[in-house]
């Protein structure tokens, strides 16, 4: 692994120091980016040189632009209208988000981008593809569908990106991935991006990529960087929702994404919080597209205090402005913990992760300590006395503010 690349990213401290076209430089300025993130600085040159790479960098470190920049700046041939880059992502939200970011990067270069994902009109996507997309961002099932129907031609694809590779495998997309890869030209550049690199990703890379370079950033402290981790261990008999209400009262988070392990629970918990007078809403795979978009835009605009969601629904969507991540249910595997808590503390801001741990979840907590060396600080559930103190503090604050 080229740890060196991570420890000493190229000396560029601003985008001006990188050799980018005027078009892309202007787009980046519009987007308000001034400094490349470490992963962006580390992979720009290898990607431009045509290397296949496997990149591990934690959630929120700017991986989209890390592959988007060199692809749009140098790899897409402007005069060639055919499909040249295929980017696979695990969910439709991510397909939209990644395509949106690439649109912005390619705004002045006129790069043509299409997003294809399940649950949306096939006809519209077919028309968009026929119109000549140079880059396609899509979910595996729908991409495979287009390839098999012949509505997407793979023969001119030179760049293949696997985004959120770990999520892709943990969501069970291995079969689709392999089927898609089979249909791609053998001469291609492969770029695999992931928050964690498990052995199955290394196997996939070694099987499909020619002489890949491994770039790893902050592998020994994934997710632990700017985030404070706390757990509340629930002792027998206590209702989880009641416990959560107490914790919220004491911790008083400005805003939070609250994770549940099941779809049903997101709805129940959001309703519970609403009944307690909190501003809460839920996001899960059962919601209609329009409803999802409504909740997502409320979240994006900072108009929602508690977003209650499943892993799948919240995957990859940008909620970096939220101050807290709360695990109402403790995640079943450590990767999922890293993903969830990586959603806060982005771009140098500090975040807080709070988990409720029931008797049956202690094993998962133990596994997290072993696997990622993340050792959350244990707190006790607030007693009635603590709550009283909190109320008094609020009252004092009220007089101070007034
Ligand atoms: P990842 O894929 O690693 O989870 P994203 O690509 O989704 O991260 O980026 C996370 C957030 O950081 C996004 O809101 C993105 O717009 C922002 N971002 C990316 N690169 C930069 C940069 N160089 N400067 C400032 N913000 C950035
Ligand atoms: Mg990403």
């Amino acid at each position: 692994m080229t740890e060196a690349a991570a420890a000493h990213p190229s000396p560029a401290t601003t985008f001006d120091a990188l050799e980018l076209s005027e078009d892309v430089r202007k787009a980046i300025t519009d987007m308000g980016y001034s400094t490349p993130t470490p992963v962006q600085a580390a992979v720009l040159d290898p990607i431009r040189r045509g290397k296949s790479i496997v990149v591990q960098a934690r959630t929120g470190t700017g991986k989209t632009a890390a592959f988007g920049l060199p692809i749009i700046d140098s790899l897409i041939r402007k005069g060639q209208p055919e499909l040249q880059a295929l980017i696979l992502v695990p969910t439709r939200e991510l397909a939209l988000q990644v395509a949106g970011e690439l649109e912005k990067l390619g705004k002045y270069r006129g790069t043509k981008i299409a997003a294809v994902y399940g649950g949306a009109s096939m006809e519209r996507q077919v028309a968009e593809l026929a119109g000549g997309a140079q880059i396609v961002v899509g979910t595996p099932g729908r991409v495979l569908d287009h390839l098999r129907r012949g509505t997407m031609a793979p023969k001119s694809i030179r760049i293949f990106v696997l985004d959120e590779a770990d999520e892709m495998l943990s969501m069970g997309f291995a079969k689709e991935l392999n089927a898609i890869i089979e249909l791609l030209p053998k001469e291609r550049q492969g770029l695999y991006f992931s928050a964690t690199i498990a052995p199955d990703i290394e196997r996939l890379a070694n099987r499909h990529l020619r002489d890949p370079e491994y770039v790893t950033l902050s592998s020994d402290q994934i997710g632990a960087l700017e985030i404070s981790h706390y757990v509340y261990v629930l002792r027998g008999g206590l209702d989880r929702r009641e416990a959560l209400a107490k914790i919220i009262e004491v911790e008083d988070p400005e805003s939070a994404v609250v994770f549940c392990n099941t779809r049903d629970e997101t709805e129940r918990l959001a309703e519970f919080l609403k009944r307690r007078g909190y501003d809460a809403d839920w996001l899960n795979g059962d919601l209609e597209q329009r409803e999802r978009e409504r909740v997502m835009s409320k979240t994006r605009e900072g108009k929602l205090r508690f977003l209650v969601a499943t892993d799948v629904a919240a995957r990859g969507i940008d909620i970096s402005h939220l101050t807290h991540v709360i695990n109402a249910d403790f995640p079943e595997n450590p990767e999922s913990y890293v993903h969830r808590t990586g959603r806060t503390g982005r771009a140098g801001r500090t975040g807080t992760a709070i988990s409720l741990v029931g008797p049956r979840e202690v094993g998962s907590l133990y596994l997290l300590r072993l696997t990622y060396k993340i050792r959350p600080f244990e707190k006790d559930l607030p007693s009635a006395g603590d709550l009283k103190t909190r109320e008094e503090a609020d009252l004092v604050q009220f007089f101070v503010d007034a």
Side-chain angles (χ1 to χ4, degrees):
M1 303 230 171
T2 49
E3 297 271 358
H8 309 283
S10 63
T13 47
T14 67
F15 280 109
D16 290 334
L18 306 175
E19 282 168 48
L20 294 168
S21 67
E22 206 42 56
D23 291 337
V24 168
R25 205 182 291 280
K26 227 164 97 188
I28 291 169
T29 307
D30 285 1
M31 291 163 82
Y33 298 178
S34 55
T35 321
T37 66
V39 65
Q40 288 163 3
V43 304
L44 186 74
D45 280 328
I47 295 179
R48 282 209 280 220
R49 278 189 281 111
K51 276 299 285 183
S52 283
I53 54 175
V54 181
V55 183
Q56 178 269 318
R58 72 184 193 90
T59 305
T61 53
K63 293 191 286 297
T64 316
F67 58 77
L69 272 172
I71 289 179
I72 285 174
D73 185 73
S74 322
L75 300 182
I76 296 294
R77 295 174 190 145
K78 241 181 138 172
Q80 184 184 353
E82 288 92 24
L83 176 58
Q84 301 168 55
L86 174 62
I87 298 165
L88 294 183
V89 296
T91 66
R92 57 181 161 179
E93 278 75 18
L94 262 180
L96 287 168
Q97 189 173 301
V98 170
E101 174 125 351
L102 299 183
E103 293 272 0
K104 287 187 203 153
L105 286 171
K107 185 168 146 199
Y108 298 107
R109 282 187 88 68
T111 315
K112 291 187 77 179
I113 296 150
V116 303
Y117 44 86
S121 149
M122 195 74 186
E123 271 163 50
R124 218 170 62 205
Q125 292 175 2
V126 170
E128 217 181 326
L129 292 170
Q134 295 167 301
I135 301 178
V136 164
V137 185
T139 50
R142 187 53 74 97
V143 164
L144 191 56
D145 218 7
H146 282 292
L147 287 171
R148 286 187 170 150
R149 290 178 188 215
T151 46
M152 187 195 294
K155 63 176 192 306
S156 51
I157 294 176
R158 289 177 281 109
I159 305 130
F160 173 63
V161 180
L162 206 55
D163 192 20
E164 314 280 348
D166 52 354
E167 293 284 0
M168 207 84 97
L169 293 179
S170 71
M171 286 174 77
F173 281 131
K175 230 172 87 190
E176 283 88 349
L177 286 185
N178 285 316
I180 291 168
I181 291 169
E182 283 293 302
L183 298 171
L184 299 180
K186 297 282 164 282
E187 284 296 319
R188 59 167 195 270
Q189 181 178 5
L191 311 173
Y192 290 8
F193 283 77
S194 200
T196 57
I197 301 286
D200 49 356
I201 292 171
E202 272 184 69
R203 267 199 303 278
L204 194 74
N206 290 334
R207 209 166 55 228
H208 298 302
L209 301 180
R210 187 181 306 157
D211 184 25
E213 189 170 307
Y214 283 82
V215 179
T216 171
L217 290 110
S218 65
S219 60
D220 52 344
Q221 35 193 343
I222 301 165
L225 229 44
E226 307 95 352
I227 302 167
S228 313
H229 299 265
Y230 298 103
V231 294
Y232 283 93
V233 178
L234 308 177
R235 313 200 194 268
L238 190 70
D239 181 75
R240 193 176 277 268
R241 289 180 210 145
E242 289 295 342
L244 178 68
K246 270 191 178 175
I247 292 167
I248 285 177
E249 209 169 321
V250 172
E251 300 271 350
D252 197 22
E254 189 182 309
S255 57
V257 55
V258 182
F259 283 104
C260 299
N261 289 352
T262 65
R263 295 175 180 193
D264 287 350
E265 184 57 18
T266 56
E267 187 171 346
R268 282 196 295 258
L269 186 56
E271 289 297 346
F272 170 84
L273 290 174
K274 280 193 206 172
R275 279 198 303 277
R276 292 296 168 101
Y278 292 114
D279 172 29
D281 219 327
W282 72 92
L283 197 63
N284 67 33
D286 292 338
L287 283 184
E288 299 235 341
Q289 186 65 15
R290 197 179 312 152
E291 267 299 292
R292 292 160 81 93
E293 268 155 27
R294 185 187 60 77
V295 177
M296 277 166 63
S297 73
K298 226 165 75 177
T299 309
R300 252 195 318 274
E301 290 159 18
K303 290 183 183 147
L304 183 66
R305 185 171 177 206
F306 293 109
L307 174 69
V308 187
T310 56
D311 288 294
V312 175
R315 200 151 274 166
I317 61 176
D318 184 19
I319 42 176
S320 53
H321 55 288
L322 302 181
T323 60
H324 285 60
V325 170
I326 300 177
N327 291 311
D329 294 322
F330 201 77
E332 274 153 20
N333 59 58
E335 283 74 31
S336 163
Y337 182 94
V338 171
H339 274 280
R340 288 180 180 186
T341 58
R343 316 310 298 283
T344 180
R346 288 188 167 192
R349 276 169 289 183
T350 54
T352 306
I354 298 173
S355 305
L356 279 68
V357 177
R360 265 181 299 182
E361 295 165 322
V362 171
S364 303
L365 176 61
Y366 183 68
L367 193 62
L368 175 72
R369 289 187 181 145
L370 276 182
T371 317
Y372 289 108
K373 313 272 180 283
I374 296 173
R375 290 172 204 286
F377 183 77
E378 281 191 32
K379 287 194 181 183
D380 284 320
L381 265 188
S383 63
D386 293 333
L387 290 178
K388 185 127 190 75
T389 315
R390 173 81 237 174
E391 266 168 41
E392 282 158 7
D394 283 346
L395 202 61
V396 170
Q397 193 59 46
F398 175 80
F399 285 120
V400 171
D401 290 344

